[in-house]
Amino acid sequence: MKERFKRTLWIILCILCAFVYAQEADSAGHEISHGRRPVETQTKPEALLQWRGEGSPPGGQGALAVEEALLLLRPLQPNRNRNARFDRTAGLVGTTIYYAKEVFYLLFMNGPSQDKYLKAQGGEPKLSKPLSKAIKLLEGAANEGETDAIFLLAEMNFFGNYTHPRNYKEAFRRYQELASLNGNNSAQYMVGFMFATGVGGAVERDQAKALLYHTFAAMSGNTKSQMTAAYRHHTAVGTPRNCNEAAFWYKEVADKAIAYSRTGPPGGVALQRDAYRIADENGGVYGEGASVVSSGFYANRAGPSSDSHAALDDVLEYLDLLSRKGDPKATFSLGRLHYEGSRTMKRNLRTARLYFTIVARKYWAKDGSILTEDNGIGRIAAKAAGYMGRMFLRGEGTEQSFEKALTWFNRGIKNGDSLCQYEMGVMYLHGLGVKKDANTAADYFKVAADQDFPSAQVNLGKLFLDQGDVQTATRFFELAARHNHIEAFYHLAEMSNNGVGRERSCGVATVYYKLVAEKVETIHSAFDEANHAFDEGDMETALVAYMMAAEQGYEYAQANVAYMLDEYKSVLSLDALIPWKSRRPSILRNAVLALIYWTRSAKQSNIDSMVKMGDYYLGGYGVDADMERAATCYQTAADSLQSAQALWNLGWIHENGLGVDQDFHLAKRFYDQALETNQESYFPVKLSLAKLRIRSFWNTITNGKANSIQPEP
């Protein structure tokens, strides 16, 4: 019996080894396209030179040395992070395999990393021969003043490209050298970023110098520095608040963003949003049920980053089941999901067109004749026709054909579909397959706008603006702005900034320009790179990428950086008792920086971040303990009536007289409000109230100084 058990155990271990090996092999190719740089420097080293903006002219020994070094660096690939997470698929089998691999990794493959071992031995990581040779070539060229070599060395030391170990101090030295040598705006941006954050202990934080370097880079056209300079002037980081400066720099980026969004096929580029709060994946900063995002009013309204959206495979499987049973709504939903895509699912245009076709064929025959008089199917088919026509108009997943687009739009218009009406207006406005006619386009836009279609409202607003009817144009822009339409934000920003149809408002213009700039992440941020690194367990790369976006003013990134740096997630941490839990890297242990980003996130209306600020002031994390400031933070968060945690904290500090007068009656009110805000807080609130009543009773019979609980009128 024992021998049979041993054989079974060995078979299981062998299977797990095979799974782990397959996971490593599968990720090897993936790592090639997802290196440690937000551009393709791992597979295309020459792209790194294009990224920096100013290339040196060919020729000379230094340039030849750089080319030779690049040839040596090309084959080098980054190693998969040891702490990379395994992908978990839906279903019982997938979940079982996922946890089996995790257990196997923790038990048999979780030894100390090479970096830690070398550090303990007082040694340095050993470089491979090709890498060592490339470094020597680049250092020789850098000593001769070759800017390409200096930039490559700086990038390799900062981002760890081509398996090179990170060395932030050396990276800072190289970036500063290049910035001083020829005013390279990419180097200036990096120097400004390192002065702002002090990342890796390379340099002491100096916000004045950070703004100086960012300003120089922004004046040279560096989009990232323009975003950073705008945010700093907007929120008074390292400089007094200056609305005009903020509006100027945000407009610079917004102009680039709107120009980018208008490129591509008719209708512009399909903008993909990658920014999200990583804490929301776990129910928020304080966990499921305790954070604002997952409690109270939001408890049954899952956000785009919640668990309900994370299990997309289950949703697709359910919709597919309904679709196979002939449900046209489920079939259309599958098509739209594949067409629009998401952070966790890439767009699949061919599959989307297949589903839309299935829906359309339930209502129309190939010759366009109607197969059924069912109005419900007709409405769904009209929506599918809108997407079919849009794909032919834009050439998405199929060859571009204005004629076929026109056919599908006409079918959908007969059933009153707003997308078809809008797209038909676009065709007439620009003369795509039809005679150009602005009046006919306006008629189609008007019908779609009346159905609250935002793109139609924007185009109608633009037509009215061209005719000088500013009041009507503004009304349509404001209607579209309710749907977060980028063009609506841009036109409202321009009108507010230039005082068109209204008194000039720098503050309003700045807010709108900021919204426009942040909607086009592609031109200045690397959220996709950061998200991938975080999912792979490469926390250092993820932290740096999020930090860059955070410095540009993204609230999501600020919350992410603070969350990653936060070491105070639990009062009773069990990490020390878990054998495979190693101490966090030094770059992730910075309470001062965590508080800075909690503060910046809170200023952008993140309630949980405001509560976290109070926790840091209360506990003296990264700052001297300040009970009054803690109470102020809790009170500010509690005023929103959305955070039960903030209300409970207010009750606790009033009960104990920390930063406020001890008041048991007021403490009871806050505890009661916490329960009213979030019913899930029933148990902790009732325990707190029981303890509070005992203390209040004792205070009464002993004539204590605190205000005891009074009977309610």
Side-chain angles (χ1 to χ4, degrees), residues 176-418:
Q176 194 171 43
E177 177 186 2
L178 185 58
S180 303
L181 188 64
N182 66 356
N184 180 292
N185 66 63
S186 296
Q188 289 171 339
Y189 162 74
M190 291 302 298
V191 173
F193 171 75
M194 297 180 82
F195 268 125
T197 61
V199 60
V203 64
E204 188 176 349
R205 287 193 306 277
D206 189 323
Q207 303 304 330
K209 289 183 179 179
L211 181 59
L212 177 66
Y213 277 98
H214 279 306
T215 302
F216 284 142
M219 292 172 67
S220 298
N222 187 288
T223 308
K224 294 181 179 181
S225 282
Q226 289 172 343
M227 279 287 287
T228 307
Y231 174 72
R232 286 176 167 259
H233 285 293
H234 181 51
T235 56
V237 177
T239 182
R241 185 173 183 181
N242 189 324
C243 184
N244 288 323
E245 281 290 315
F248 174 80
W249 290 119
Y250 271 132
K251 175 175 167 52
E252 290 288 308
V253 184
D255 288 342
K256 297 178 184 178
I258 206 69
Y260 175 84
S261 70
R262 291 170 178 171
T263 59
V269 174
L271 300 176
Q272 182 72 42
R273 184 174 187 177
D274 293 311
Y276 80 108
R277 296 189 190 97
I278 55 180
D280 291 357
E281 293 284 309
N282 300 316
V285 171
Y286 290 99
E288 193 75 37
S291 307
V292 171
V293 73
S294 61
S295 65
F297 177 75
Y298 299 98
N300 298 318
R301 294 182 58 190
S305 303
S306 66
D307 290 339
S308 63
H309 287 260
L312 188 59
D313 288 344
D314 294 335
V315 176
L316 292 173
E317 187 177 349
Y318 176 70
L319 290 175
D320 183 63
L321 176 63
L322 295 179
S323 177
R324 291 176 186 273
K325 292 181 178 181
D327 187 337
K329 290 184 179 180
T331 307
F332 173 75
S333 297
L334 282 170
R336 190 169 62 179
L337 283 171
H338 284 286
Y339 178 80
E340 295 176 350
S342 67
R343 185 179 62 82
T344 56
M345 185 181 76
K346 292 183 179 180
R347 300 180 75 195
N348 190 328
L349 298 175
R350 291 187 178 182
T351 302
R353 189 160 68 94
L354 174 63
Y355 283 119
F356 292 141
T357 303
I358 293 173
V359 176
R361 292 296 175 232
K362 289 180 179 292
Y363 187 75
W364 291 291
K366 289 187 177 180
D367 61 358
S369 59
I370 298 175
L371 300 175
T372 177
E373 296 299 326
D374 189 326
N375 291 330
I377 295 178
R379 286 192 294 270
I380 297 298
K383 292 181 181 294
Y387 280 96
M388 290 284 289
R390 179 180 174 87
M391 295 176 78
F392 279 114
L393 176 64
R394 294 166 59 88
E396 295 177 323
T398 184
E399 185 178 355
Q400 189 176 47
S401 173
F402 295 148
E403 182 181 355
K404 292 181 179 179
L406 199 63
T407 299
W408 284 109
F409 291 147
N410 278 321
R411 291 179 181 178
I413 286 172
K414 292 178 181 178
N415 285 319
D417 181 66
S418 59

Side-chain angles (χ1 to χ4, degrees), residues 227 230-231 233-234 241-255 478 486-500 502-518:
M227 279 287 287
Y231 174 72
H233 285 293
H234 181 51
R241 185 173 183 181
N242 189 324
C243 184
N244 288 323
E245 281 290 315
F248 174 80
W249 290 119
Y250 271 132
K251 175 175 167 52
E252 290 288 308
V253 184
D255 288 342
E478 289 176 346
I486 184 173
E487 286 268 2
F489 288 147
Y490 182 74
H491 285 289
L492 289 172
E494 289 283 84
M495 295 170 74
S496 297
N497 192 41
N498 296 299
V500 177
R502 63 184 70 187
E503 186 178 350
R504 182 180 185 272
S505 175
C506 178
V508 173
T510 301
V511 171
Y512 280 131
Y513 281 136
K514 184 175 187 291
L515 289 170
V516 174
E518 291 184 352

Side-chain angles (χ1 to χ4, degrees), residues 556-571:
Y556 281 11
Q558 292 166 349
N560 288 348
V561 173
Y563 183 73
M564 293 181 71
L565 294 174
D566 184 29
E567 295 188 81
Y568 311 103
K569 295 183 175 69
S570 175
V571 177

Side-chain angles (χ1 to χ4, degrees), residues 418 421 444-454 456-457 460 476 479:
S418 59
Q421 293 159 350
Y444 281 113
F445 289 146
K446 180 66 169 63
V447 178
D450 288 342
Q451 299 183 60
D452 205 21
F453 195 82
Q457 291 166 341
L460 202 56
F476 281 112
L479 287 172

Side-chain angles (χ1 to χ4, degrees), residues 641-661:
L641 298 179
Q642 296 182 42
S643 175
Q645 183 71 52
L647 290 164
W648 189 93
N649 289 355
L650 273 177
W652 187 81
I653 64 174
H654 278 87
E655 178 185 349
N656 293 281
L658 299 176
V660 295
D661 294 333

Side-chain angles (χ1 to χ4, degrees), residues 140-183:
N143 291 336
E144 296 177 5
E146 177 60 44
T147 55
D148 289 351
I150 298 172
F151 189 79
L152 274 167
L153 287 170
E155 295 281 278
M156 291 166 70
N157 279 283
F158 188 89
F159 293 100
N161 293 337
Y162 311 114
T163 71
H164 191 283
R166 296 177 189 260
N167 187 330
Y168 293 107
K169 290 186 178 181
E170 177 64 15
F172 178 79
R173 185 178 75 84
R174 292 294 186 182
Y175 282 131
Q176 194 171 43
E177 177 186 2
L178 185 58
S180 303
L181 188 64
N182 66 356

